[in-house]
Amino acid sequence: MLDINNIGVSFGGVRALNEVSFTTPDKGITALIGPNGAGKTTLFNAITGFVTPTDGTVSFSGENITGKVPEDVFMYGISRTFQNLNIIPELNLRQNMYLGFIGKEKPSPLKSIAGLNRSYWKDAEKRIDECMDFVNVTEYAEMTPDSIPYGVLKNFELARAILSNPKMLLLDEPAAGLNLNEKENLAAMVKKIVGQGVNILMVEHDMQFISSLADYVICLNFGEVIGKGTYKEVRENKEVLRAYLGDDEV
Amino acid sequence: MRKLNPTFFIICTLAVVGIGFGVYNEYYIGVASLMMINALNTAALNVLLGYTGIISIGQAAFFGIGAYVAAYFSVNLGVPPVLTLIIAPVVAFAVAWVIGYPVLKLHGHYLAMATLGFGMIVYIFMNEFYDITGGPSGFMGIGSFHIFGLNFGTEKSFYILMSGFFLLSVFLYEVFDKSFLHYKLKFIKSSESACRSYGIDVARTKLLVFSSMAAITALNGVFYTYYTHFISPVSFSFKYSISLICMAIVGGLGHITGGIIGAVFLGFIPEVFATFDDFEMIIYGGLLAVVIMFFPGGIAGTLKKLVKKNA
């Protein structure tokens, strides 16, 4: 589905990614792991168009999306979340959901001002209700973020990300800051989303979370792929162990 | 999208009608007309700063462009005033588009400095290009606004004209506030990266908003020209841009009502404290500090919070 071919990214003299290549399976969850500064988020940014690769290509469903701007990458069916929550504090969750809708199904500003696009908003509301219900956040729909638990907000981000019916979802550290219960809940939601046919690529540090979810794992270190395979295969890879534990421990 | 809330529109209508029927002193009628012009300029700035996060310290330049274009076309080229209501905003929109294209790639202080620089350049242009602008002495001999044989040259008649435009604008701002555009702009202010990753063309949207607000500000400039019959660069200086920012912050950023309330509130200061004219900016600055420290939502935000708390 997602084919990364010899991607390289440089920031001035710093080589953040170097000849990174892998292909995600057609179905399931791929986890991207690696120590801090390995280049995971840079790779996410290169895939989603926030950073232009200096070499290599990114293809999605057979189409070359290298160098496309984020707005266009989204139109190919790739949706993403960020490490930080992007929720407007003064709007309730339902209102915050609109961000996931108006970019794809662009409403007409003139029709909107004239109040002529009621059917558009009816469809939007219906889809928003479906997605919020899907990740069990409906009961918080009319509440503002300051009165909602962090774990629920993380689930809400998933609801918003699937609002546009993406083919692939990129999750940047989805389990960061969650307690055990919240992580279990999030893992269940992620599995539910995969069950709908959405392919997931996620950056994550929590190995327990990854082991319970990932079908395929790619490990980066200093901008290069040092291991890939199933969770078990990567866990036993000496280079991966060296990157995490150091030479003495391996 | 959301239901319109007519409360603020009704309050504005009652205030405008009340002043129209209850105030006979022409000076105060004039003050009210100028307050409405300032209120609409502040509301436009509020859409930029409070909704979209575009800090512009060059709004006086667009106000001036509207005023000078209207004056030049009507006096030097004999264009009917009603046509200048179209020409001036179009010119301002075009200028804002050209300026905004590179400048809106900047953020925060850098954007503030760039718009300040633009304002300064336009101010210098107004002072130096005597043949077009009349230089520091100003542009004289501007007639009154007239349409279909109706002349709006007196204080009262101009007040009626301005009231109509003001109430129409308040209604349109309310419609905007309840439309999806409101959300779109606030999402952009909150996180441009998130918006782009959800398919929103942030650069184009910001450019459109910046140019549209420049056009609206220029339209107010046209009304200002026909009201004062004389314009000079001093009315469109850096100080006016700062005053608009003070009005928007004191009134409440991110609330359409805030811009209008702020303009009316600060508009009273020179009238009430006329003897402290030299200290006007100090009073503005003091108020700004108090609002930022103790009422970050401004007057509108604080009132909204109180209403919500007691609901």
Side-chain angles (χ1 to χ4, degrees):
Chain A
M1 181 159 255
L2 182 70
D3 188 22
I4 308 290
N5 187 21
N6 279 324
I7 280 287
V9 173
S10 297
F11 299 111
V14 179
R15 189 79 173 152
L17 289 176
N18 190 36
E19 294 184 359
V20 172
S21 294
F22 62 86
T23 303
T24 62
D26 283 343
K27 276 182 185 172
I29 302 170
T30 305
L32 200 55
I33 63 167
N36 284 334
K40 304 180 295 291
T41 299
T42 304
L43 181 59
F44 256 39
N45 289 338
I47 295 167
T48 49
F50 283 97
V51 165
T52 306
T54 30
D55 334 274
T57 55
V58 180
S59 302
F60 181 67
S61 294
E63 296 209 56
N64 187 351
I65 59 167
T66 321
K68 298 267 185 206
V69 292
E71 301 89 294
D72 291 343
V73 172
F74 174 75
M75 293 301 171
Y76 279 94
I78 298 178
S79 192
R80 79 170 279 186
T81 63
F82 292 81
Q83 283 178 19
N84 301 321
L85 293 173
N86 286 297
I87 301 176
I88 300 180
E90 73 245 37
L91 301 183
N92 64 34
L93 281 201
R94 179 184 294 286
Q95 290 164 338
N96 267 292
M97 284 290 278
Y98 291 124
L99 174 60
F101 199 81
I102 56 179
K104 180 108 184 222
E105 313 287 338
K106 294 184 179 8
S108 153
L110 287 179
K111 271 189 177 177
S112 181
I113 282 174
L116 295 174
N117 51 0
R118 289 213 174 113
S119 63
Y120 172 91
W121 291 113
K122 223 174 170 183
D123 291 347
E125 292 291 344
K126 196 177 157 213
R127 180 77 186 130
I128 286 169
D129 284 341
E130 281 170 10
C131 291
M132 292 187 99
D133 193 40
F134 190 76
V135 297
N136 301 336
V137 295
T138 307
E139 62 180 296
Y140 302 95
E142 309 305 326
M143 293 164 75
T144 47
D146 53 356
S147 48
I148 299 173
Y150 187 68
V152 175
L153 295 178
K154 280 280 190 176
N155 279 359
F156 158 78
E157 283 234 307
L158 287 181
R160 192 165 61 181
I162 58 170
L163 199 55
S164 58
N165 286 318
K167 292 179 200 158
M168 183 161 212
L169 197 53
L170 274 62
L171 306 176
D172 200 350
E173 301 195 19
L178 299 184
N179 63 33
L180 201 59
N181 279 344
E182 288 169 337
K183 278 179 193 170
E184 282 172 5
N185 190 285
L186 182 73
M189 292 307 149
V190 170
K191 277 181 186 164
K192 221 170 145 187
I193 291 169
V194 173
Q196 298 285 307
V198 181
N199 204 315
I200 288 183
L201 175 65
M202 67 174 170
V203 165
E204 188 49 69
H205 284 291
D206 188 324
M207 293 303 157
Q208 211 177 343
F209 188 73
I210 289 169
S211 69
S212 68
L213 278 177
D215 303 300
Y216 192 67
V217 178
I218 297 152
C219 184
L220 288 179
N221 193 25
F222 293 116
E224 293 184 357
V225 176
I226 56 168
K228 51 186 168 184
T230 61
Y231 177 75
K232 195 165 174 268
E233 285 166 353
V234 172
R235 195 182 60 183
E236 287 162 4
N237 183 316
K238 283 204 172 148
E239 261 212 81
V240 174
L241 291 174
R242 201 169 285 127
Y244 274 96
L245 303 173
D247 282 332
D248 298 342
E249 301 291 330
V250 180
Chain B
M1 212 166 86
R2 285 186 293 159
K3 276 188 182 161
L4 296 180
N5 181 357
T7 314
F8 187 67
F9 179 77
I10 291 169
I11 292 170
C12 287
T13 308
L14 290 175
V16 161
V17 172
I19 292 169
F21 283 104
V23 177
Y24 298 100
N25 184 319
E26 289 212 334
Y27 172 75
Y28 288 114
I29 292 280
V31 169
S33 296
L34 286 176
M35 260 185 201
M36 285 191 278
I37 290 174
N38 285 340
L40 295 180
N41 280 341
T42 312
L45 176 69
N46 207 344
V47 172
L48 287 178
L49 184 57
Y51 283 73
T52 327
I54 299 172
I55 179 157
S56 172
I57 316 185
Q59 289 306 98
F62 295 117
F63 189 47
I65 286 172
Y68 274 100
V69 167
Y72 185 83
F73 274 77
S74 63
V75 175
N76 292 0
L77 304 178
V79 172
V82 68
L83 284 183
T84 61
L85 285 177
I86 299 163
I87 297 167
V90 167
V91 171
F93 187 95
V95 171
W97 190 276
V98 172
I99 297 298
Y101 194 81
V103 159
L104 291 175
K105 289 184 170 69
L106 303 171
H107 294 91
H109 302 101
Y110 301 102
L111 177 59
M113 286 299 113
T115 51
L116 171 66
F118 165 70
M120 291 300 198
I121 291 167
V122 172
Y123 182 70
I124 291 168
F125 181 91
M126 289 170 189
N127 270 303
E128 300 299 325
F129 285 72
Y130 298 92
D131 295 344
I132 299 172
T133 63
S137 316
F139 204 120
M140 285 173 274
I142 304 163
S144 305
F145 187 83
H146 55 85
I147 183 171
F148 305 129
L150 292 169
N151 193 306
F152 296 91
T154 63
E155 290 285 1
K156 199 87 181 184
S157 60
F158 184 81
Y159 177 80
I160 293 167
L161 173 74
M162 201 57 223
S163 298
F165 179 64
F166 174 73
L167 290 176
L168 175 70
S169 302
V170 170
F171 174 73
L172 289 177
Y173 274 127
E174 172 62 18
V175 172
F176 154 79
D177 191 54
K178 298 297 180 290
S179 77
F180 85 96
L181 289 167
H182 158 202
Y183 294 124
K184 191 173 179 180
L185 301 190
K186 284 201 170 165
F187 285 132
I188 289 175
K189 185 187 176 190
S190 167
S191 170
E192 290 191 13
S193 302
C195 285
R196 295 187 72 195
S197 72
Y198 280 112
I200 293 172
D201 190 340
V202 171
R204 189 167 167 272
T205 307
K206 282 170 71 175
L207 194 53
L208 262 172
V209 171
F210 184 66
S211 305
S212 303
M213 292 309 118
I216 289 170
T217 309
L219 190 57
N220 286 321
V222 177
F223 283 113
Y224 179 78
T225 291
Y226 292 120
Y227 172 66
T228 55
H229 307 297
F230 165 78
I231 49 173
S232 69
V234 75
S235 305
F236 313 106
S237 66
F238 166 69
K239 192 182 157 194
Y240 185 67
S241 292
I242 294 295
S243 300
L244 290 180
I245 290 174
C246 289
M247 288 170 189
I249 293 174
V250 170
L253 287 177
H255 309 275
I256 281 300
T257 49
I260 294 163
I261 293 171
V264 173
F265 184 72
L266 291 190
F268 273 116
I269 287 181
E271 305 309 319
V272 179
F273 300 104
T275 45
F276 301 109
D277 196 31
D278 293 341
F279 306 107
E280 189 186 336
M281 285 318 266
I282 295 174
I283 296 170
Y284 274 27
L287 258 174
L288 204 58
V290 169
V291 168
I292 289 171
M293 284 169 72
F294 302 109
F295 309 100
I299 299 171
T302 308
L303 286 176
K304 223 174 180 178
K305 226 181 223 175
L306 282 175
V307 169
K308 220 174 173 183
K309 216 175 176 181
N310 296 321

